[in-house]
Each structure stands twice: as C-alpha cells, then as structure tokens.
C-alpha cells in the first residue's frame, strides 16, 4: 500500500483501497462510534452527569466512598443504553469483519453495541456495562433483564457481597491490553474511530500498530492526539463515513 493518497484518489478513496486490501486490520473504537446510537460520549458536551465527570465516578475510590451514587450513575447509563440500537457504523464494521476474517475489533466502549450489530472478533477492553460483577468473588451475572426501577444495589448470588458494574475503572489495570498490543504488533492497518485518544493504555494500541509498520486511518469529526500519527485522518461522523469506506 502506498504511503500517501495518490493524485488520482482523494483521502477517502485511498482509505477505501487500504481497507479493502488489508489482510490483518485492527479497528480501535471509542464512544464516538456509538454517538449516533444516542449513547452519550465521555468528553463531549453531553459527557457530564449531575456535574460529575466520568473520571470522578468510574473509580474504585468513588465506589468505596459512595456506592449508592456510583450505582445511580451506572443505572442511569443502563437506562439510556436500553433505548439505543447499533447504528450504520456498527453494522458496517460487522460486515467488514465477514470479508476480513483476521480483523480484530478493540473497543473501549462498554455498551455492547458492536456485539449486537454482529461483530464477533471483539475485545471489550474496558468491560461491559450490562454485567454485574461481585466485588468479592468476581462472579459475573447479566444485568440486562434487571428493570431500571429496581434501585437496590445488586448483591452477589453466590457469596452475598456487593456487586459492581462489570467495567474497568480508572486506576485499574486493563486485563486485555496485553493481547490487544500483541494483535496491534502484527496488524497491517489500524482504523481508529470515534476516540479522543486521551485514555491510556487503550490509545496506545494505535501507536503500537504504527510502530510495527501498520497504516493508520482515523475517522473523527475533530482532530485528536492520534491524528498526528495517522496516515489518513478523515473528518466526519462514523455512521456516515464507515458505510462508504467499508463497503
Ligand atoms: C490504568 C469504563 C494502571 C468505565 C473506561 C494522566 C495522564 C495519562 C494517563 C493517566 C493519567 N492519570 C491516570 C491515567 C491513566 C488513566 C487515564 O488514561 N486517564 C485519562 C483520563 C487521562 N487510565 C487508567 O486508569 C486505565 N488503567 O492505567 O491502570 C495500572 C496498571 C497496573 C496496576 C494498576 C493500575 C484504565 C482506563 C479505563 C477507564 N475506563 N471506561 C465506564 O465506562 O464507566 S474509559 C472511558 O473513556 C470509556 O471506556 C471511553 O470509551 C474511554 C475513552 O473515551 P472515548 O471513547 O475516546 O470517548 P470520548 O468521549 O473521550 O471521545 C469521543 C470521541 O468521539 C471524540 O473524539 C469525538 O470527537 C468523537 N465523536 C463524537 N461524535 C462522533 C465522533 N466520532 C465519530 N463519529 C461521531 N458521530
Ligand atoms: Zn460473590
């Protein structure tokens, strides 16, 4: 693949060519890929909850200090998510996987919408919002049947301890990051969609792939810290651009 758009093709056409030709593509997605499904992003204008930033609430300290408030935050996010469906960006990525079986989709999102859209080769490196996990024995249970009116804090069905949402909080290690970096080291193309590129170590999945020689394509309405390392940084919305780029 050539390193820069050839004269005859614009950046979008060049991106399409690279994406079709890729043998081992890795896709890194963030909250922006779910924006058009109605899921609030973290650092956009709708990222706050009662004046708190997610970084203040999505932490073990906040949970041990005030589990009720942290659970109210997550119950609210679950109630919003129940009204959301995959958008054309999620569907385009699921189709792309069927034509590129060695693809790996590394998502920072905890909304489960990639899986719902049909993607199967996924690493949900920050966990899943609709899972309850016991804070003591680690037993996980599916939270989706729980109705949003149920305001009790979920307790473990096995050891009786308090449950937490099945996500990775700030300050906690990211168990899947090692295998994501390993996949990035052998990717020939990275498609970065809808992430502000500020959360580590997730954002560095793109850096690892780049340093291993992968071409990098970014899709985001705004520039991010990852734009500088992208060969093609396309300004646009995921639900509009991905169906065009991946068809
Ligand atoms: C760890 C689950 C160590 C929870 C999440 C100072 C400097 C650097 C790093 C740090 C620091 N202080 C602390 C750290 C480390 C910290 C970190 O990175 N902090 C950041 C805030 C600076 N990282 C950690 O703590 C990680 N752990 O480092 O552990 C360790 C090691 C060993 C032993 C012990 C400890 C854990 C991080 C995981 C945190 N959990 N989520 C939950 O969901 O409640 S992260 C959270 O942010 C979400 O998962 C989210 O996905 C992620 C990243 O945000 P984005 O997805 O990028 O979303 P954002 O809103 O930011 O941006 C949206 C983008 O979409 C924008 O660019 C926008 O332009 C674009 N967009 C909008 N609309 C569209 C669009 N794009 C396309 N189409 C559209 N329509
Ligand atoms: Zn338990």
């Amino acid at each position: 693949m050539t390193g820069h758009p050839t004269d005859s093709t614009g950046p979008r056409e060049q991106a399409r060519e690279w994406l079709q030709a890729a043998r081992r593509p890795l896709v890194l997605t963030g909250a922006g890929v779910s924006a058009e499904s109605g899921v609030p992003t973290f650092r956009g204008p709708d990222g706050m909850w009662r004046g708190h930033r997610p970084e203040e609430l999505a932490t073990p300290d906040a949970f041990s200090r005030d589990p009720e408030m942290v659970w109210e935050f997550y119950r609210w996010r679950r109630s919003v998510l129940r009204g959301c469906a995959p958008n054309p960006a999620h569907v385009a990525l699921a189709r792309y996987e069927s034509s590129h079986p060695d693809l790996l989709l590394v998502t920072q999102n905890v909304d489960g919408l990639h899986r719902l859209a049909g993607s199967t080769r996924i690493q949900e490196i920050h966990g899943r919002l609709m899972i309850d996990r016991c804070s003591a024995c680690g037993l996980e249970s599916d939270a989706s049947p729980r109705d949003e009116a149920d305001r009790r804090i979920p307790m473990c069905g096995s050891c009786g301890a308090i449950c937490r949402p099945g996500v990775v909080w700030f300050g906690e290690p990211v168990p899947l990051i090692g295998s994501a970096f390993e996949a990035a080291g052998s990717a020939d193309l990275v498609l970065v969609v809808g992430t502000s590129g500020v959360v580590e170590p997730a954002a560095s999945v793109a850096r690892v792939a780049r340093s291993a020689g992968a071409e990098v394509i970014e899709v985001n309405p705004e520039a991010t810290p990852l734009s500088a390392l992208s060969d093609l940084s396309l300004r646009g919305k995921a639900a509009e651009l991905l169906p065009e780029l991946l068809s």
Side-chain angles (χ1 to χ4, degrees):
M1 282 177 272
T2 53
H4 291 285
T6 49
D7 300 345
S8 62
T9 60
R12 290 188 184 187
E13 191 42 45
Q14 181 71 76
R16 270 175 55 82
E17 284 172 17
W18 286 356
L19 285 158
Q20 290 320 319
R23 300 277 41 90
R24 290 177 315 287
L26 183 143
V27 185
L28 173 67
T29 63
V33 80
S34 297
E36 282 132 305
S37 296
V39 182
T41 60
F42 278 76
R43 292 165 191 86
D46 55 3
M48 307 295 285
W49 177 73
R50 298 192 187 164
H52 296 287
R53 288 180 322 113
E55 283 85 355
E56 297 157 28
L57 295 158
T59 70
D61 296 350
F63 186 66
S64 55
R65 212 177 337 125
D66 191 346
E68 273 295 344
M69 182 184 68
V70 171
W71 263 114
E72 228 180 300
F73 171 53
Y74 281 93
R75 266 198 297 271
W76 170 75
R77 285 177 57 193
R78 287 177 172 177
S79 66
V80 170
L81 184 56
R82 284 192 181 93
C84 300
N87 68 56
H90 297 107
V91 174
L93 286 166
R95 285 215 191 98
Y96 183 56
E97 174 187 311
S98 49
S99 61
H100 291 73
D102 286 341
L103 170 144
L104 179 66
L105 172 56
V106 177
T107 186
Q108 301 170 81
N109 300 342
V110 296
D111 57 33
L113 292 180
H114 284 303
R115 195 177 296 280
L116 221 50
S119 289
T120 58
R121 295 173 55 79
I122 306 178
Q123 284 193 350
E124 292 166 308
I125 59 169
H126 291 158
R128 296 173 77 170
L129 181 59
M130 301 308 267
I131 292 282
D132 291 340
R133 187 191 322 138
C134 176
S135 54
C137 73
L139 180 74
E140 294 199 342
S141 50
D142 182 355
S144 27
R146 195 185 310 286
D147 67 42
E148 47 208 74
D150 183 351
R151 317 205 59 76
R152 285 166 302 153
I153 291 185
M155 307 305 274
C156 175
S158 159
C159 77
I162 182 175
C163 284
R164 53 173 283 175
V167 297
V168 177
W169 277 331
F170 289 99
E172 295 185 319
V174 180
L176 288 173
I177 198 65
S179 62
F181 279 175
E182 198 180 324
S186 58
D188 55 5
L189 176 84
V190 181
L191 174 62
V192 182
V193 187
T195 181
S196 58
V198 298
V199 171
E200 293 296 350
S204 291
V205 167
R207 292 189 181 84
V208 168
R210 172 115 188 112
S211 55
E215 312 280 7
V216 183
I217 299 170
E218 179 184 41
V219 171
N220 196 314
E222 295 167 10
T224 74
L226 298 176
S227 304
L229 66 84
S230 301
D231 297 285
L232 297 171
S233 189
L234 307 178
R235 290 287 160 274
K237 294 185 171 185
E240 290 164 13
L241 265 182
L242 290 197
E244 175 194 330
L245 297 177
L246 297 172
S247 62

